[in-house]
Amino acid sequence: MLQRLLSLAPLLIALSHPIAAIAQDSTLVVAPLLSPPTGLRVGDSPDDNGHGVLARWSVAPDDAELLVYEIWRGPSPTAPDSVWFQVGSAPRGSEHFVYFDEDASAQGQPNPAFVASGEPIHLRVRGRSGDGRLTAWSGAATGVGKGNWFHRGKTNILVAVLLFGGAVAWFINSARRGKELYIRPIPGLGAVDEAIGRATEMGTPILYVLGTGTAGDVATIAGYTILSRVARRTAEYQTPILVPVNDPVMLAMGQEVVKEAYTQAGRPEVYRADNISYVSAMQFPYVAAVNGIMRREKPATCFYMGIFHAESLLLAETGSGTGAIQISGTDQVSQIPFFVAATDYTLIGEELYAASAYLSRAPAQLGPLKAQDYAKLAIILIIIAGILALTLAHWDGILRLVRTPV
Amino acid sequence: MKKQIPILIVFVTGLIMVLQFFVPHAASEFLFTYANDFVIVIGILALPLGIFSLMRGTVIKARKDPRERFYAIVTIVGFLVMAIANFRRDSGPDSLAQNLFSYVMIPCQATIFSMLAFYIASAAYRAFRVRTWLATVLLVTAFIVMLRIVPLPEPFSSWNSSLVQWILAVPNMASKRAIIIGVGLGAISYSMKIILGIERGYMGGDK
C-alpha cells in the first residue's frame, strides 16, 4: 500500500505544480475568456480635414456576450500594454469606429489623443462584456489621416446648387431676351410708395430699422437694397429718413447706401449723414434707443427690414402706438407672427428677398425669382415622392437623396 | 472702378466661401477662419466710427432740444464710466466693470425685455379679433393651445394635450417648413445675385 502511494508521488507533485503556479501568479487567472474581434484595419477617415482615422474590424465570435468594443491607442504596434490608452468605444455589433481629435491641447496640457494629419496612428481593439470579462486584443493596426478635398456627403447639395444655379442663369437669359415673367403682387411692397407719400404729406420723417443682424447676413443686405429704393424716393420728396443701426460696419454701409441713393436722385445736398446713426450694439439698449426715436420724432412711416429677434414686437408695438404706418419684413420664422399682428404689411420670409426684383422689375432680377418658383415645385415633387416611397413601398432609400451631414 | 472692384472682391470671396462649404480639408478650414477673423478686425476698426456717431448724435440732440439734455448727459456719462471701468486692469467678478454690467446693465435690459409681456397682450388683442372666419379659426386654435397650460381635469387634459401636440406638429409645422424652404431658396438666390454682381442695392444701387 505504501509502495503504491510512493509510486503516485511524482504524479501528485507534477499535478500540484501548475496549481501552485497559478495561485502564485495571478496574471494567468485573467487569461482571456472570450475570443477577440478580428481583421482590424485602420485607414483615413473620409470627408474630414485630416484629423481622423477609420478603424474597421470583424465582430468577435462572442459578440452576443459583449457590451462594448474598446478602442485603444499606443505609440507603436509592439509597445507594452502599460503605455496604451483607451480613445473610444463602440457598442457590440459595431464593425467600425471613427477616431477623430484635432484639439492639440486639453486644458493647457498636450493632448495624448491628438491626431496629427499625416502621422501614423496605431490602434487595437478588444471587447468587454457586461460583467467585466474581456476578449483578447485584436492585432494592432496602423493608419494615417489625410485631409480630403471634397465632402462626399454633400454631393446632393452640390448637385442641387448646380441645378439651381443653372436655372437662375437660364431664366435671366430668358428675361433678357424679352420673355415676360410674372410676379404675384406683394401688398407690402406695393404699399411702399403710399407709406412714403404719407410721411411726406404729414411732414414727419421715415424711420428705417435694419434689425439686429450683422452686415454679413443676407436678410440685412436685402434690407439695404430696400433702403436704397426707399431713400431714393425720400430724396425726391425731400422727406428725412432716420436709420438707427446697431453695428458700426452697418453704419458705414447705411451711410453709403443712403448717400448714393440721394446722389442718384439728384439731391445730394439734402443728404444728412447724422440721420444714419449708431445707437448701441446690444439688443435691448438698441430697442430703447429706437423706441425713444419713435416717441420723440413721431415718424409717420416705419420700415422694419432685416433680422429681428425678441425686439420685433417691442419696436412694432411702439410704432403702432405712435400711429405710424408700418411695413415689416424678416426671414426669422419665429418673429413673423409678431410682425403680422403688429404691423400693417409684412413681407413673409422670401418676400423680403424678392423686394429688389419686385421694385426694379429688371430682367436680371426677375430670373432668379422664377428659378426659385421652379425649385419649390421640385421640392414639392420630392416630398410627394418621399411620402409615396415610404408609405406605399416602405423604401427609405429616397431619404439618402435629401440627407445631409451634420 | 468704384463699383467694379468691390463687385470683383465680392465675387472672389463669395465663390471661395461657397467652395469651402464642400471642401473639408484643413487648408479650406484655415481660409474660412482667416476670413472670419477679418470680419472681427473690420468690426473693431469700425468701432471708433460708431462711437463718434453716437457721441455726435447725442450732442446734436442735446443742443437742439433742452428737454433732451438730461438724457444726453446720462448717455455720455454712462459711456465714459463704462469705458474707463473697462480700461482698468482688474477684470475679476468683483471688478467695477463687472458690477456695472451685473447691477446696472442687466437689470435695465431685463426691464426692457419684460415689457414684451405687455406688448404681447396688446398685439394678441388685435390679432385675435374675430373679423373674418380665418380670424375665428386663429382665435379658436390659439384658445386651444393656451388651454394647455391650464390644469384641466381628466380626460380633458389628455385630449387637449394630444390636440395641441397635433396642432403644433402638423398644421403649424407644415406652414413653418414652407416658410423655411422659401427663405432658404430666397437666400441662395439672393446670394447668387450678390456674387454675380446682379444685386447692387447694398452698395447704393446701379449707375
Side-chain angles (χ1 to χ4, degrees):
Chain A
M1 183 68 182
L2 184 66
Q3 271 184 343
R4 277 188 185 176
L5 279 171
L6 284 171
S7 67
L8 285 173
L11 181 64
L12 287 170
I13 291 165
L15 281 171
S16 66
H17 234 85
I19 293 167
I22 289 166
Q24 283 168 10
D25 186 0
S26 62
T27 55
L28 293 178
V29 175
V30 292
L33 299 171
L34 302 169
S35 45
T38 55
L40 177 68
R41 287 112 48 214
V42 180
D44 173 46
S45 167
D47 309 325
D48 70 8
N49 57 4
H51 293 279
V53 286
L54 173 66
R56 287 181 180 280
W57 61 85
S58 300
V59 291
D62 297 319
D63 182 72
E65 292 186 46
L66 299 178
L67 188 66
V68 289
Y69 288 103
E70 297 176 346
I71 295 89
W72 288 58
R73 183 176 172 188
S76 74
T78 55
D81 284 355
S82 58
V83 293
W84 288 74
F85 58 96
Q86 192 178 341
V87 290
S89 61
R92 73 164 175 235
S94 306
E95 292 192 306
H96 69 274
F97 177 80
V98 175
Y99 171 40
F100 186 89
D101 195 339
E102 59 173 328
D103 189 358
S105 68
Q107 294 178 340
Q109 299 297 316
N111 176 10
F114 174 59
V115 178
S117 184
E119 281 186 17
I121 308 292
H122 314 288
L123 298 178
R124 64 185 190 180
V125 182
R126 74 177 177 188
R128 180 186 286 275
S129 69
D131 57 6
R133 287 179 295 154
L134 298 167
T135 69
W137 290 108
S138 69
T142 304
V144 175
K146 287 183 294 182
N148 303 110
W149 290 101
F150 180 66
H151 196 303
R152 293 172 305 171
K154 293 178 179 176
T155 308
N156 53 359
I157 303 175
L158 181 65
V159 170
V161 167
L162 291 175
L163 286 174
F164 188 62
V168 168
W170 169 268
F171 282 109
I172 288 173
N173 268 339
S174 301
R176 278 183 175 154
R177 281 200 303 268
K179 192 180 174 189
E180 282 288 315
L181 297 178
Y182 171 77
I183 313 181
R184 68 181 166 82
I186 301 174
L189 293 172
V192 167
D193 284 344
E194 180 199 329
I196 296 168
R198 182 172 182 265
T200 308
E201 281 171 14
M202 292 176 71
T204 54
I206 286 170
L207 180 70
Y208 197 99
V209 182
L210 284 157
T212 49
T214 65
D217 295 312
V218 187
T220 309
I221 296 175
Y224 278 115
T225 304
I226 303 170
L227 170 63
S228 171
R229 314 245 174 230
V230 171
R232 215 176 295 176
R233 289 284 157 80
T234 59
E236 286 163 9
Y237 300 149
Q238 299 193 36
T239 306
I241 182 166
L242 308 174
V243 189
V245 296
N246 74 322
D247 184 295
V249 178
M250 283 171 68
L251 171 74
M253 269 178 83
Q255 286 179 336
E256 191 60 35
V257 165
V258 176
K259 188 179 174 186
E260 190 70 27
Y262 274 63
T263 307
Q264 284 175 21
R267 302 268 183 191
E269 75 284 354
V270 188
Y271 169 70
R272 295 278 173 275
D274 295 331
N275 286 350
I276 301 97
S277 57
Y278 171 78
V279 288
S280 172
M282 297 179 86
Q283 187 184 19
F284 294 116
Y286 177 70
V287 170
V290 177
N291 283 359
I293 292 171
M294 284 187 205
R295 287 283 170 200
R296 280 193 302 271
E297 305 288 343
K298 297 270 187 296
T301 303
C302 295
F303 289 93
Y304 309 101
M305 300 287 172
I307 289 179
F308 291 86
H309 301 103
E311 70 279 4
S312 60
L313 194 60
L314 291 166
L315 297 170
E317 270 298 296
T318 309
S320 182
T322 59
I325 183 169
Q326 302 193 98
I327 302 175
S328 58
T330 185
D331 64 350
Q332 301 295 299
V333 180
S334 57
Q335 301 306 318
I336 289 170
F338 293 128
F339 274 145
V340 170
T343 62
D344 300 285
Y345 299 97
T346 305
L347 304 178
I348 297 171
E350 61 183 315
E351 290 177 351
L352 176 67
Y353 300 119
S356 57
Y358 189 93
L359 294 170
S360 73
R361 303 274 168 172
Q365 296 271 13
L366 295 177
L369 225 53
K370 209 69 193 167
Q372 251 175 270
D373 287 344
Y374 279 92
K376 266 185 252 172
L377 181 67
I379 289 169
I380 290 168
L381 292 176
I382 290 170
I383 290 171
I384 292 169
I387 292 167
L388 294 176
L390 287 164
T391 313
L392 301 179
H394 302 292
W395 178 66
D396 64 356
I398 196 160
L399 294 175
R400 278 196 289 275
L401 259 180
V402 292
R403 190 170 286 151
T404 52
V406 178
Chain B
M1 283 300 268
K2 197 185 162 194
K3 291 276 180 195
Q4 270 80 4
I5 289 174
I7 287 170
L8 187 69
I9 293 169
V10 169
F11 176 75
V12 173
T13 50
L15 207 60
I16 289 169
M17 286 293 120
V18 171
L19 290 177
Q20 75 79 33
F21 176 77
F22 297 102
V23 180
H25 198 277
S28 170
E29 278 187 347
F30 169 77
L31 204 63
F32 183 67
T33 313
Y34 195 69
N36 278 335
D37 287 347
F38 252 107
V39 173
I40 297 168
V41 171
I42 292 167
I44 292 168
L45 288 175
L47 195 58
L49 188 70
I51 293 167
F52 176 73
S53 169
L54 175 68
M55 290 296 123
R56 188 180 152 89
T58 309
V59 170
I60 289 172
K61 232 183 289 174
R63 270 193 196 155
K64 251 200 303 196
D65 189 348
R67 290 172 301 175
E68 291 290 323
R69 269 179 207 155
F70 173 73
Y71 302 108
I73 290 166
V74 169
T75 304
I76 292 166
V77 170
F79 168 77
L80 290 175
V81 168
M82 205 66 182
I84 292 164
N86 276 285
F87 273 125
R88 287 163 63 102
R89 279 180 184 273
D90 57 328
S91 56
D94 290 326
S95 64
L96 177 64
Q98 187 60 46
N99 283 336
L100 283 171
F101 188 77
S102 301
Y103 303 119
V104 179
M105 194 75 193
I106 291 177
C108 285
Q109 292 204 67
T111 306
I112 300 281
F113 185 57
S114 43
M115 285 160 60
L116 192 58
F118 299 99
Y119 284 134
I120 285 176
S122 71
Y125 169 72
R126 273 202 303 277
F128 294 155
R129 264 186 302 178
V130 181
R131 284 170 296 189
T132 59
W133 72 271
L134 280 173
T136 314
V137 171
L138 180 69
L139 175 66
V140 172
T141 313
F143 185 71
I144 292 167
V145 172
M146 284 190 289
L147 268 184
R148 189 171 60 156
I149 55 169
V150 177
L152 293 171
E154 285 292 343
F156 299 109
S157 174
S158 53
W159 287 350
N160 180 258
S161 182
S162 308
L163 185 58
V164 170
Q165 287 294 329
W166 181 82
I167 289 168
L168 294 177
V170 182
N172 179 61
M173 188 58 77
S175 59
K176 260 175 91 171
R177 281 185 182 154
I179 294 173
I180 290 167
I181 289 170
V183 165
L185 288 171
I188 296 170
S189 156
Y190 203 83
S191 303
M192 277 183 178
K193 285 198 286 182
I194 292 169
I195 290 171
L196 297 174
I198 296 167
E199 183 60 73
R200 301 175 188 189
Y202 65 97
M203 290 193 293
D206 294 326
K207 284 189 188 175

